[in-house]
Amino acid sequence: MTTTDGLASTALLTDQYELTMLAAALADGSAQRHCTFEVFARRLPHGRRYGVVAGTGRLLDALTEFRFGAPELDIAAGFLDARTLEWLREYRFGGDIDGYREGDLYFPGSPILSVRGSFAECVVLETLILSILNHDSAIASAAARMVSAADGRRMIEMGSRRTHELAAPASARAAYLAGFDATSNLESVRRYGIPGAGTSAHAFTLLHSGSDGQHEAAAFRSQIETLGIGTTLLVDTFDITQGVATAIEVAGPELGGVRIDSGELGVLARQVRQQLDSLGATRTRIVVSGDLDEYAIASLRAEPVDAYGVGTSLVTGSGAPTAGMVYKLVEVDGLPVAKRSSHKESRGGTKRAVRLARKTGTIVEEIVYPATAERPAANGYTVRDLLVPLVRKGETVDRLPTLTDARELVAAGLVSLPWEGLKLSAGEPAIPTTFLQ
């Protein structure tokens, strides 16, 4: 059996120090102490006012394949003693995990994931958990800002060529979760059922060149004959005005779309729209691509653009390629423990969290409180519990939200933010977080 990432085991997607800590804890007898580890971000990336939780579904899949077989033990044998290797051979996570729903918003200090069990079974999961949640949440958070900037226009993820080949499907999944409509990455189509999109690159137009010059019309004609009149033609390989004229000459006014991949996109979109309309192609869509991010998309909001294709900025988190989440031990045998290092402090104790909203649905505050305390009073607001069961006694719970559910939750969350929370400019988090002792 292989995981959704094509690996037979996820056990070595980890850092060596997790296993050396395990060996020491087994040796001194502390390995079985009952612990709570929590995942949270101390702060949001610069300029961000909210984050989006993503990767939970991938994490739970990876957890089921966190097993040490012979190949994994061969690697670990290079630095571990026989007792630790035997313990790893039988390893199965048997604890409990609660977490924010995938697709939910989070803010600084939000206890996004709570992992409970013995120190030994929890400590070895740190890197697996953080690598998935940090990557996917960074992509989803950037994608959500782009979706907001696009204001309802079609969004296509096109970043596979700008990231690691194994990260590309995860990036597409996170983007779709955050509201993108389609992806160019076929592995994510297969793996996650995301709608696929894509037609042609400049190479196809250049292919139809000969000693007598470029034959853009021949390239367009071939694409239309193969893919149909609803296809999108790339019109800026040579001269964009001539490219649009050739596209409509070949396809007629019912052409599905044209794509612009370079230049001053706003200016070109207006010119192309006017030209298309003058040629009777009033329903031909304009797709733009080429180094877009949320700021570029927002600047094009008033232009006649029907769809955006986004690549590099999306798969790199638009300047924040990690969500900055950490995995910290907060409780040992019921005793709160906390890190005091400067600028890296943690808050001790297992926690719960609720979010308060006005009757209109606008959220106003997040409250984080000790798991042993009573749920905070509503005080006239609606109150929603944020942590839900994900794993019980090592088994993933039934009827967890699907990717479609998570996608709907993101959309609902963005609508629930105060209007200031959707600004692209730097500022405070969209809502305050209160920590109760």
Side-chain angles (χ1 to χ4, degrees), residues 81-134:
D81 59 274
R83 174 173 55 183
T84 305
L85 292 172
E86 190 57 34
W87 189 92
L88 290 173
R89 189 187 311 277
E90 302 300 324
Y91 177 81
R92 300 290 186 274
F93 178 72
D96 297 337
I97 301 177
D98 292 343
Y100 281 36
R101 296 168 179 84
E102 187 166 27
D104 218 339
L105 304 182
Y106 72 88
F107 303 94
S110 295
I112 294 164
L113 206 71
S114 175
V115 183
R116 302 182 299 280
S118 70
F119 177 81
E121 64 184 337
C122 295
V123 73
V124 297
L125 298 178
E126 176 183 3
T127 302
L128 182 72
I129 289 172
L130 289 181
S131 61
I132 293 175
L133 293 183
N134 266 319

Side-chain angles (χ1 to χ4, degrees), residues 223 290 357:
Q223 184 176 329

Side-chain angles (χ1 to χ4, degrees), residues 56-330:
T56 310
R58 291 207 312 119
L59 171 60
L60 295 176
D61 287 343
L63 182 61
T64 65
E65 301 302 328
F66 198 89
R67 304 284 188 268
F68 287 84
E72 292 73 40
L73 292 171
D74 284 346
I75 298 297
F79 58 91
L80 293 178
D81 59 274
R83 174 173 55 183
T84 305
L85 292 172
E86 190 57 34
W87 189 92
L88 290 173
R89 189 187 311 277
E90 302 300 324
Y91 177 81
R92 300 290 186 274
F93 178 72
D96 297 337
I97 301 177
D98 292 343
Y100 281 36
R101 296 168 179 84
E102 187 166 27
D104 218 339
L105 304 182
Y106 72 88
F107 303 94
S110 295
I112 294 164
L113 206 71
S114 175
V115 183
R116 302 182 299 280
S118 70
F119 177 81
E121 64 184 337
C122 295
V123 73
V124 297
L125 298 178
E126 176 183 3
T127 302
L128 182 72
I129 289 172
L130 289 181
S131 61
I132 293 175
L133 293 183
N134 266 319
H135 174 269
D136 289 23
S137 296
I139 304 304
S141 298
R145 286 160 56 88
M146 295 175 187
V147 169
S148 293
D151 197 28
R153 298 176 191 180
R154 180 172 169 81
M155 300 289 287
I156 306 167
E157 185 278 318
M158 301 167 59
S160 297
R161 292 163 293 160
R162 299 294 186 266
T163 190
H164 189 279
E165 69 273 16
L166 297 182
S171 298
R173 180 186 185 277
Y176 183 69
L177 181 151
F180 271 59
D181 299 284
T183 178
S184 65
N185 183 271
L186 288 180
E187 180 58 29
S188 62
V189 174
R190 177 177 72 166
R191 194 177 295 179
Y192 305 118
I194 299 171
T199 53
S200 180
H202 293 292
F204 186 73
T205 302
L206 293 171
L207 172 67
H208 293 75
S209 300
S211 59
D212 57 342
Q214 295 90 15
H215 295 282
E216 191 174 44
F220 290 170
R221 188 172 296 108
S222 173
Q223 184 176 329
I224 291 167
E225 289 175 353
T226 304
L227 301 179
I229 198 66
T231 192
T232 298
L233 298 177
L234 184 57
V235 294
D236 67 341
T237 304
F238 307 118
D239 177 80
I240 191 169
T241 301
Q242 183 57 54
V244 171
T246 301
I248 301 305
E249 179 183 349
V250 171
E254 298 305 312
L255 175 64
V258 296
R259 178 161 73 95
I260 309 169
D261 190 50
S262 59
E264 292 293 332
L265 295 178
V267 173
L268 292 175
R270 290 195 299 274
Q271 292 176 352
V272 169
R273 183 74 271 160
Q274 292 172 358
Q275 185 180 5
L276 288 171
D277 290 348
S278 70
L279 295 171
T282 57
R283 293 186 295 179
T284 298
R285 300 177 301 276
I286 297 176
V287 181
V288 298
S289 56
D291 297 323
L292 294 175
D293 61 12
E294 60 266 48
Y295 302 102
I297 292 168
S299 72
L300 292 169
R301 186 176 295 179
E303 307 299 348
V305 174
D306 298 290
Y308 301 93
V310 189
T312 303
S313 289
L314 177 64
V315 298
T316 58
S318 195
T322 176
M325 294 177 185
V326 294
Y327 183 83
K328 295 302 176 185
L329 179 63
V330 298

